[in-house]
Each structure stands twice: as structure tokens, then as C-alpha cells.
Amino acid sequence: GIQLQSGLSDSAGLSFPMQCLTEAVTILDIICKQDPAYVYRSLSCLKILHGRLSGDLSYARVLLPIAQFFLNHSETAAVDSEAVYKHLFTKVPAQLFHSPTLAYEFVQFCRHNVSFFTENLCVFRQSTPNLFKFLAWNSPALIAEFLDLLPALLGADNAVEIFHLLLDLPCLTAALDIQLRCAQTPMSERPALDPGGKPATCLEAFRHPQYRGLFQYLLRVESAPGDTGRLTPLRQLLGPMASSPRVVQCAESVPVLLQLFFGVVAEFADGVLANKLVLALLERSNQLYEIPAFKAEMHQVMGAQLPILCKQHPSLVVELSKPLLEFSGTVTNIQNKEGIFTHVVWAIGEYASVQHDRRCTVEQINKFFEALEALLFEITQLRPSASLPRHSPRIISVLMTALTKLASRSQDLIPRVSLFLSKMRVFVQSPAVSSGYSAEDVEAILTRATELTNLLKMPSVAQFVLTPSGEVSSPRFHRDVHVSLPLAMKTTSRLLEGGTGSIPA
């Protein structure tokens, strides 16, 4: 059998015996594939070897070929190998995430066996938070591997948790850095801890009772859905580490993973999961690690997914009317979260309709209208004594369009939105506003206001154009380069103008 001599624990000769053990296990695997008669004897031997190595992290790389052997042959020998896999997935990533060679070999081992794991091994998906430690510490080197693994880790039961894990990946990198430094600091060099005082450094916070539970949750080894909002103090505490090169590199890897996440989830998400994801998206828009470029990119990625989720599950606009109203009615979201805000307003205008959900009453439409009307009034109100914040033409155009769509479904609102649109020329041509916009910006706003004003002169046509049937609708209106509605609207506008009309001065 394979013998592990006590003398091999000497660090000077560590790599050679580890390589010998790895090769020996690999050769045994090959022999047993050729002749299954050796499986029983080999499994007995490898069980003993695993028991002796599992407590010694310096031999962790040998655990991978041992686990591969059990994967290949335990069914033949009717041996329960769950303990081998559980130890591998729970202990190794948590303690050796900082070893780049082991991280690469471990992830390759997962990729090689991903089909078996997803079908037969619960601990694989349960260990997702632990596996993400490899990614958090070793990105972008492992980004390609995790793009392959992520779909296998995802399911309806853990999609929301993985969404939060991805958003907190840079924060996890910072926490792992602190954990590693704390473990490497001798007890004699650690400052005395005052449980009643406020920790002065991140290293002190790691041991402080006030933060210990937060660190433990962020560094958990198995899935454990919880209230990620409680991590806000930890994100703030780890703020000074946001400029660390390792943290920045990790943050740069998240957008592509988040895009893949939504692409995979869209294939199996039902209405309940879609609602949970949109709620999580709105909540997390204000709970991200303080890296400005990271936050802006996350808002863009999350915002771009909202139209996709709404198209698949239009009822979520009615079912989540309260949080959507709260989000869209907050003026500061325009400046701080434009990437999400624009899509939320568009979704309200597009899907707050009885055509998409019979529960969408006139009263509900009026509530949406009043919230967006107040918001547009707030950002277009002229204040001679105050400097106006510059809002993009896209925001203003999306708000005008959403209000017009809602008015076409509750026609008592048409006079209000028509009056509002008629005042847009005064707004964009005022010195305080025009100085902040280019001629193209002004023209884009006026063109949209003209089209909408003319369209509302024929309410029945407006309803057809602004709430088209599924065969003719296209959810790209708010993303067109020139912020223009489709041909039907332009044609209607030209007919009503007769070639000369425009917005009243």
C-alpha cells in the first residue's frame, strides 16, 4: 500500500513526496480502470491515506486525485464516499484559497466532474460561497473557469443568494485579505482587544464581537441565505481596502459574471423568482462596495436586465408596484443610479397596463402617473436662484414617454400630460438649462415632446401606438440612439403637424 512516512512532514522535502503521492494515486486510478479487480484493495488503501492527509493542509493537493479516484470507482465498489467530497469542498477552499496552484487545480477538478456533481453531489452547490473564495482571491486568472462553472452552481433555490454573492465578491476579497493577515500575525503582536470600544483597524474589527458575526457570514463555507442588508456596516468598514489592486481586479470581473448569471436564470425563473430578483436588484442598488467604477457598472448591468425580466414576467410591475413607486419617486436615484432608474421608469410605462395584468386598475395607473409626474416636475422646475442639476435628455424623454403611455390608458390624465409637454420648450430654452445641453440634446427633448403631444390628440391611436399588441411591440424604444418612438408615432405626428406644427411657444 501507499505509505506516508513521518519523516516526510519535514518542510524541506515537502514537494517531492507530495508529487510522488499524487503520481501514485493517479497510476492506481489508471490501473483500476484497466482492471476493476484492483478497486477494492485500492479503495481500502486510499481511505487510510485520506484519513492521514486530511488533517495536513500541506498535502491538500493530493486530496484532489484521491477524490477523483473515489468518483471513478466508489460506485463499482459500493463505497460511500460522501465524507471525502464534503471534506474537500468545505475545508480546502476556506483554508487554501490563497494558493494559486491549488485554486487552479481545484477549479479544473470541478469543471472536469461538473456533470456528476450537479446530478449526484449536494455538497457541490451547497459549497458555492466557499468556491467563490477561489474566484475572489484569484480573479481575473480564474474568470474563464468560473464562467463555465456558474451555470452548474445556479438553481431556483439559490439564485438570489448567488446574486448577492456576486455583488459582494470584491467585499469578500477584502475580508479574505484581513482573515489571512490576521492568521499570519503572531498572538504576541496583536493589540489588546477592547470589546466595548470601536475597532481602530480592519484587523481589530475581524476579532471584535460587534463585527465577528458579519465576517463569519461573509466568509461562510456553505449556503446560508440571510439578510445581506446587515452587511452594510461591514462594507463601510472595509472601505479603506477598496483601492487594493486585488480588490479592484476582483471588482472588474463581476460584470461579466453578473451578465451570465441573469442569462442563465432567465431560462428557468418563474414569476416568484423574478419578483425576488427585482426586489433584490432595487435593494442592492444602494448597498454596493464603495468602488465608484464598480457601482456605476453594476447599475448598468442590473438596469439592463430589468426589461428582460419584465418581458418574461410583465405582472411583476403590478405585483411590485410599491417598491417600484418608491424607487422611481426618489429624485436622488436619477443622479446616483441612472443605469437602473431609466429602466424602472420604462418598465412602468411599458407594463402598467391591463393588457399585461388584469389587476392593473385605473387607480394603479394613476398612482404611477402621479409619482412620475411629480418627479418630472421636480427635475424640470425652473429655479432662478438655484443651480439646476443637469439630467440627461434620455431621462427626461423616458419620463415624458412613460407619462404619455400611462395617460393613454387612463384618458382623464391626457390634459395633464399635454399641458406638461407644452411647457418643455420653455424649460429647455431657458438660459439655466440650455447652457448645460447641446443643440442635439435640446432637439431630442423637443422632438420627443412634439411627437407625444401630437399623438395624444388622437387618444385611440395613442393607445394603439403606445400599448401595441405583442406582435408589433418592441422593448427597445427607450434605448434607441435618437430617443425616438417607432415609425407609427412619427407618421402620426407628421400627419397632425401638416409639415408645420410644433410645440406651442
Side-chain angles (χ1 to χ4, degrees):
I2 299 173
Q3 300 296 319
L4 181 61
Q5 304 296 335
S6 59
L8 297 183
S9 62
D10 180 59
S11 59
L14 182 63
S15 62
F16 180 69
M18 183 165 62
Q19 291 173 8
C20 289
L21 285 170
T22 301
E23 288 302 314
V25 174
T26 304
I27 292 170
L28 271 180
D29 192 13
I30 295 171
I31 291 172
C32 290
K33 286 179 181 177
Q34 298 296 322
D35 188 350
Y38 290 99
V39 168
Y40 295 93
R41 293 167 57 188
S42 300
L43 276 171
S44 177
C45 176
L46 289 178
K47 269 195 168 183
I48 296 171
L49 180 63
H50 181 269
R52 299 183 66 179
L53 295 182
S54 58
D56 187 348
L57 291 177
S58 62
Y59 283 92
R61 288 175 63 186
V62 185
L63 298 177
L64 292 172
I66 292 176
Q68 187 65 61
F69 187 96
F70 276 88
L71 279 168
N72 292 341
H73 305 290
S74 59
E75 186 176 353
T76 302
V79 174
D80 183 10
S81 51
E82 184 74 19
V84 173
Y85 312 139
K86 188 170 181 64
H87 175 272
L88 186 70
F89 281 101
T90 58
K91 299 297 182 183
V92 175
Q95 298 179 50
L96 293 172
F97 59 87
H98 52 86
S99 169
T101 304
L102 176 65
Y104 179 76
E105 291 178 355
F106 198 107
V107 174
Q108 289 297 331
F109 167 75
C110 292
R111 288 179 70 189
H112 180 69
N113 299 289
V114 68
S115 297
F116 176 86
F117 289 161
T118 51
E119 294 174 10
N120 303 285
L121 202 60
C122 293
V123 71
F124 174 61
R125 289 179 57 204
Q126 288 172 353
S127 301
T128 299
N130 224 18
L131 293 173
F132 271 30
K133 291 173 186 175
F134 284 136
L135 175 62
W137 192 259
N138 298 283
S139 57
L142 295 181
I143 185 69
E145 283 72 20
F146 270 87
L147 287 172
D148 284 344
L149 279 182
L150 186 59
L153 294 169
L154 266 169
D157 57 333
N158 69 352
V160 174
E161 183 181 8
I162 289 182
F163 172 71
H164 289 298
L165 284 171
L166 288 171
L167 294 185
D168 283 327
L169 209 58
C171 198
L172 176 60
T173 306
L176 289 170
D177 185 273
I178 293 169
Q179 181 190 38
L180 193 59
R181 281 191 285 151
C182 192
Q184 294 172 345
T185 304
M187 292 294 293
S188 58
E189 296 179 15
R190 297 180 185 180
L193 185 66
D194 179 11
K198 187 175 182 180
T201 66
C202 291
L203 282 174
E204 288 183 30
F206 187 76
R207 299 183 294 123
H208 198 279
Q210 181 181 347
Y211 293 97
R212 188 179 300 136
L214 300 179
F215 273 108
Q216 287 174 348
Y217 179 71
L218 184 60
L219 295 167
R220 64 194 184 277
V221 299
E222 293 184 332
S223 291
D227 178 16
T228 57
R230 66 192 178 105
L231 292 179
T232 298
L234 191 58
R235 297 185 192 103
Q236 295 170 347
L237 175 78
L238 297 173
M241 298 187 65
S243 58
S244 160
R246 190 180 296 277
V247 173
V248 171
Q249 281 189 325
C250 176
E252 291 171 350
S253 301
V254 177
V256 66
L257 288 163
L258 195 60
Q259 289 172 341
L260 174 64
F261 166 86
F262 278 109
V264 174
V265 169
E267 296 175 4
F268 60 76
D270 58 11
V272 174
L273 178 56
N275 285 6
K276 289 180 180 178
L277 284 172
V278 172
L279 273 177
L281 185 153
L282 297 177
E283 291 168 0
R284 287 306 304 269
S285 67
N286 200 39
Q287 299 172 12
L288 295 170
Y289 196 31
E290 282 296 331
I291 305 175
F294 171 71
K295 290 177 70 174
E297 196 155 10
M298 288 300 93
H299 289 161
Q300 290 294 335
V301 174
M302 290 192 289
Q305 301 306 316
L306 194 61
I308 299 171
L309 289 169
C310 288
K311 184 178 180 181
Q312 291 181 320
H313 308 281
S315 293
L316 69 81
V317 171
V318 173
E319 293 170 355
L320 301 181
S321 59
K322 186 174 180 180
L324 288 173
L325 275 168
E326 183 178 343
F327 185 90
S328 60
T330 305
V331 178
T332 53
N333 286 341
I334 301 178
Q335 293 285 1
N336 302 333
K337 308 169 190 174
E338 182 178 336
I340 298 177
F341 179 86
T342 306
H343 292 86
V344 168
V345 172
W346 174 83
I348 291 172
E350 187 74 7
Y351 294 108
S353 166
V354 70
Q355 177 178 309
H356 297 293
D357 192 322
R358 294 187 177 278
R359 295 169 294 177
C360 187
T361 62
V362 171
E363 181 184 4
Q364 182 68 70
I365 290 173
N366 290 349
K367 284 182 180 180
F368 279 126
F369 181 91
E370 288 168 3
L372 298 185
E373 181 188 43
L375 190 66
L376 185 56
F377 177 79
E378 176 68 21
I379 68 174
T380 59
Q381 187 178 18
L382 297 176
R383 303 179 183 87
S385 60
S387 60
L388 282 170
R390 183 185 180 278
H391 300 290
S392 72
R394 183 171 180 242
I395 286 286
I396 295 173
S397 295
V398 170
L399 277 166
M400 289 191 300
T401 306
L403 284 170
T404 306
K405 288 179 178 180
L406 295 172
S408 72
R409 299 162 200 158
S410 179
Q411 298 189 0
D412 290 344
L413 301 173
I414 288 178
R416 286 166 63 176
V417 72
S418 295
L419 178 63
F420 208 111
L421 292 171
S422 70
K423 296 178 179 179
M424 291 308 298
R425 179 176 294 277
V426 175
F427 167 71
V428 295
Q429 292 184 344
S430 66
V433 176
S434 59
S435 61
Y437 289 131
S438 66
E440 290 78 14
D441 291 341
V442 171
E443 182 62 27
I445 294 172
L446 291 178
T447 299
R448 173 53 60 88
T450 300
E451 292 173 345
L452 296 173
T453 299
N454 288 332
L455 194 57
L456 287 174
K457 293 175 182 177
M458 295 191 296
S460 59
V461 175
Q463 192 166 13
F464 167 76
V465 173
L466 297 172
T467 311
S469 62
E471 291 77 15
V472 298
S473 62
S474 171
R476 297 181 56 86
F477 305 157
H478 66 303
R479 290 184 278 137
D480 288 349
V481 175
H482 301 293
V483 199
S484 176
L485 284 175
L487 182 61
M489 183 173 177
K490 290 185 176 181
T491 304
T492 305
S493 184
R494 288 170 184 158
L495 287 172
L496 288 168
E497 289 175 12
T500 59
S502 187
I503 296 180

